[in-house]
Amino acid sequence: MRLVVVSNRVTIPDRHEKATAGGLAVALREALERHGGLWFGWSGVVGAARQLRETQRGNVTYAVTDLSEAERESYYLGFSNRALWPIMHYRLGLTEFQRSDYMGYLGVNRRFARELAGMIRPDDVIWIHDYHLIPLAAELRRRGVTNRIGYFHHIPWPSADTLTALPFSATLVRTLAAYDLIGMQTQLDTRNLIDCLMTLCGAKSDGRRVRLGARETVVQPFPIGIDVEAFRRLAAASARQAATPLRATRESLGERKLVIGVDRLDYSKGIVQRLEAFGQFLRSHPEERGRVGLLQIAPPSRSDVPEYAELDRMSDEVAGRLNAQLGEFDWTPIRVVKKAYSRTALAGLYRRAQVGLVTPMRDGMNLVAKEYIAAQNPVDPGVLVLSRFAGAAQQLGEALIVNPYDTHEVAEAIRTALAMPKSERIRRFEALYHVIETSGIHWWTRRYLEALTDAPAAAEDAEPPRKAGAKAEQPARRAGARNRPAVPERGEAKGAAAGAGRKRVSTPAETSHLTLVR
Ligand code: F6P
């Protein structure tokens, strides 16, 4: 088998990149190298020339295409990031829908399918990533691609009731039936997607397998992880070497404690609410003033989207106000740094911080939470304060779980974390470390690919170990799933599941979707 990965952005590795590439990029590259493969997607460049450019690195081909300015506006900034992103993060008030953006989104997916279809070999297994590319499999199937195709949704999936506010949501959701396997971050996302397929599209499901028309798709959670050992080593080395940002931070902090937040500058991350919560903490506990500081690292993101520009302005305003109200001539309570740092520097900063503040309003998984744990010194670890609305909270129940909408609760969790006795910090750290270690990024790629290629027993036990007593949203209605109409056994309906060598069946759903594209 050859592996074909498709993602919105593709970064072609160069010699210097090892220290900056994230765990996901590294793990996907490793999987591609293991099987031999192709990685296809947008080059990240906006230009008039849209021909495919291929670069060979070992046994992996990177095939990238530029987007035109109109495509970037409609497909990327418009439909992906002003419509899908907010609605998937439960932010109806921020969702901006334009028909022309949706047409552009479908158009780019159609173009990607056209360019990719010609490169597909019979033994390829295709793995498509994220919300930019939901209809890609339907477009590939339309071009006669019968290979196994998987999709992984990196961000949350809301309830059917929320999603229906998005025009054409039913036609878009229906295109997901073209996949053989859909991976989600959590049980909640899995349940929500299956509900959408059932209530919006009339699919039938047993809670895992979904049947829509002649197709059968498996939907299940595969919570993404990090390369724990690599990150742990990075943090330990960074602490020893005391590289520049870390040394400078240490010198400027002196004996003061450090609370750290690291996020793309995105409204889903709850940065403004977090700053307010830190201000509340200092107001409620004046004895802590001068003894602790918050460092918020927030590299700018999607700045051409108005909601992000507004967040940029608001975060400056809130940090400035709180510093002016609460700071002293020799102490600045909050530092917001809007630029990206190397992974080595971040690992060292996480290790130096007594508290990791990861409080998104909603997040698919949040790998910063896992990186913070991996970076800790096992004999004197810091404490993770984690939003109950991050997918990671489903696994990391030994963190201090908070509701990010409740400023007082977050403020008190900061206080609890700073005052926590060492024995309890170690106990919590060990439990959390065990979870992230046993469900790391290599576990994730292996389990997903085994399930996609239908290896024995792979799909059944994809849920990793999880700490008992996790207080976050529980996979509540699991029993309810059992009450849903059962899916007929494989083979009951002819051509039920697509797979290599099977004949392609065009469903009415695809047809109506494609009418719309044209
Ligand atoms: O999963 C969320 C995601 O869209 C990823 O696909 C991407 O790597 C990240 O957020 C950053 O987003 P962007 O590519 O829009 O800068």
Side-chain angles (χ1 to χ4, degrees):
M1 132 195 171
R2 184 180 75 148
L3 177 62
V4 175
V5 171
V6 189
S7 60
N8 172 49
R9 281 178 199 272
V10 179
T11 310
I12 302 168
D14 62 32
R15 276 177 293 128
H16 314 289
E17 219 215 48
K18 276 238 145 86
T20 51
L24 174 61
V26 171
L28 288 177
R29 276 179 207 158
E30 281 176 16
L32 284 163
E33 279 158 16
R34 213 169 30 249
H35 299 281
L38 170 69
W39 194 335
F40 177 94
W42 177 31
S43 59
V45 174
V46 177
R50 298 189 307 173
Q51 306 97 311
L52 213 55
R53 290 190 302 282
E54 289 185 31
T55 308
Q56 197 66 32
R57 291 274 187 273
N59 60 351
V60 181
T61 306
Y62 292 85
V64 295
T65 176
D66 300 345
L67 293 183
S68 69
E69 185 51 45
E71 285 175 330
R72 186 179 87 108
E73 288 278 340
S74 57
Y75 151 81
Y76 173 70
L77 294 175
F79 191 68
S80 294
N81 286 323
R82 293 197 82 189
L84 281 180
W85 179 271
I87 206 157
M88 293 281 177
H89 287 84
Y90 301 54
R91 301 293 286 271
L92 272 179
L94 297 180
T95 301
E96 291 285 334
F97 176 81
Q98 300 284 342
R99 281 189 174 211
S100 54
D101 288 343
Y102 186 44
M103 294 303 148
Y105 174 84
L106 297 177
V108 168
N109 273 274
R110 196 173 43 183
R111 176 160 82 80
F112 277 16
R114 197 170 54 237
E115 283 164 4
L116 184 59
M119 305 172 86
I120 298 300
R121 300 177 192 159
D123 71 332
D124 283 349
V125 167
I126 305 167
W127 189 4
I128 295 169
H129 289 260
D130 234 346
Y131 59 102
H132 316 84
L133 301 173
I134 289 172
L136 188 58
E139 294 291 341
L140 286 169
R141 299 266 182 243
R142 198 166 73 90
R143 281 166 181 77
V145 174
T146 55
N147 303 56
R148 289 190 74 77
I149 310 181
Y151 171 74
F152 189 79
H153 189 74
H154 288 258
I155 64 175
W157 193 284
S159 69
D161 196 36
T162 303
L163 196 69
T164 43
L166 182 71
F168 302 106
S169 48
T171 40
L172 184 65
V173 168
R174 205 173 263 275
T175 65
L176 282 166
Y179 290 97
D180 296 296
L181 175 68
I182 298 175
M184 309 298 282
Q185 296 280 23
T186 67
Q187 286 283 1
L188 176 68
D189 301 325
T190 305
R191 233 172 31 236
N192 282 343
L193 172 56
I194 292 176
D195 273 348
C196 284
L197 282 158
M198 289 171 72
T199 57
L200 307 184
C201 313
K204 297 206 181 319
S205 175
D206 63 358
R208 193 174 81 90
R209 288 174 299 163
V210 176
R211 170 147 299 174
L212 184 55
R215 289 200 52 84
E216 186 180 284
T217 302
V218 170
V219 186
Q220 67 180 82
F222 292 88
I224 196 167
I226 63 164
D227 187 338
V228 176
E229 180 52 22
F231 206 77
R232 187 195 63 75
R233 273 194 261 115
L234 209 58
S238 169
R240 277 197 302 276
Q241 292 159 3
T244 315
L246 184 57
R247 192 175 52 240
T249 311
R250 270 188 188 153
E251 281 164 12
S252 66
L253 281 171
E255 292 301 301
R256 284 180 186 130
K257 290 188 173 177
L258 175 64
V259 176
I260 195 165
V262 177
D263 313 81
R264 268 187 317 106
L265 192 59
D266 190 303
Y267 51 78
S268 66
K269 305 292 182 184
I271 295 168
V272 166
Q273 293 83 348
R274 188 179 310 161
L275 301 180
E276 294 285 11
F278 192 74
Q280 183 58 49
F281 155 72
L282 293 173
R283 272 188 223 101
S284 308
H285 301 282
E287 72 283 2
E288 295 285 355
R289 293 188 196 176
R291 291 201 201 153
V292 56
L294 169 64
L295 172 61
Q296 175 64 53
I297 296 176
S301 167
R302 306 174 190 169
S303 339
D304 292 339
V305 174
E307 291 75 20
Y308 287 71
E310 171 63 7
L311 171 66
D312 193 7
R313 196 192 57 71
M314 262 180 74
S315 52
D316 286 353
E317 186 188 301
V318 172
R321 169 170 50 78
L322 292 171
N323 280 335
Q325 286 173 354
L326 298 163
E328 298 290 345
F329 67 90
D330 59 349
W331 171 64
T332 305
I334 296 173
R335 281 186 267 188
V336 179
V337 185
K338 291 185 177 169
K339 64 180 182 187
Y341 285 96
S342 73
R343 295 179 61 70
T344 314
L346 288 179
L349 289 168
Y350 290 141
R351 196 175 173 101
R352 167 65 180 81
Q354 282 71 24
V355 182
L357 207 44
V358 181
T359 54
M361 312 316 279
R362 189 61 68 171
D363 214 334
M365 176 53 59
N366 198 302
L367 295 180
V368 169
K370 296 186 174 184
E371 289 178 349
Y372 179 76
I373 299 297
Q376 294 310 298
N377 179 357
V379 296
D380 190 13
V383 178
L384 176 65
V385 175
L386 179 61
S387 161
R388 58 175 305 184
F389 301 122
Q394 299 295 310
Q395 294 176 284
L396 305 180
E398 293 294 338
L400 295 181
I401 304 291
V402 293
N403 176 354
Y405 290 89
D406 186 344
T407 307
H408 281 83
E409 187 179 307
V410 178
E412 285 316 300
I414 295 170
R415 166 82 184 123
T416 306
L418 286 169
M420 192 178 282
K422 195 194 256 189
S423 57
E424 188 179 346
R425 283 190 277 124
I426 292 177
R427 184 187 62 72
R428 286 176 184 264
F429 162 77
E430 286 175 351
L432 293 169
Y433 195 89
H434 174 74
V435 174
I436 61 168
E437 198 182 24
T438 49
S439 56
I441 189 69
H442 300 291
W443 172 91
W444 181 80
T445 30
R446 203 179 52 247
R447 300 308 291 180
Y448 186 89
L449 287 174
E450 279 173 7
L452 181 57
T453 52
D454 233 345
E460 298 296 343
D461 66 340
E463 190 73 355
R466 174 171 163 269
K467 192 70 196 156
K471 293 182 199 71
E473 297 158 294
Q474 299 296 321
R477 288 191 305 128
R478 203 173 159 70
R482 270 186 237 120
N483 296 332
R484 289 181 191 138
V487 169
E489 287 303 309
R490 258 174 205 267
E492 263 185 50
K494 281 207 174 87
R502 283 177 216 164
K503 196 168 182 322
R504 151 162 173 73
V505 184
S506 176
T507 67
E510 289 165 34
T511 315
S512 65
H513 173 255
L514 291 162
T515 313
L516 190 73
V517 187
R518 289 186 210 107

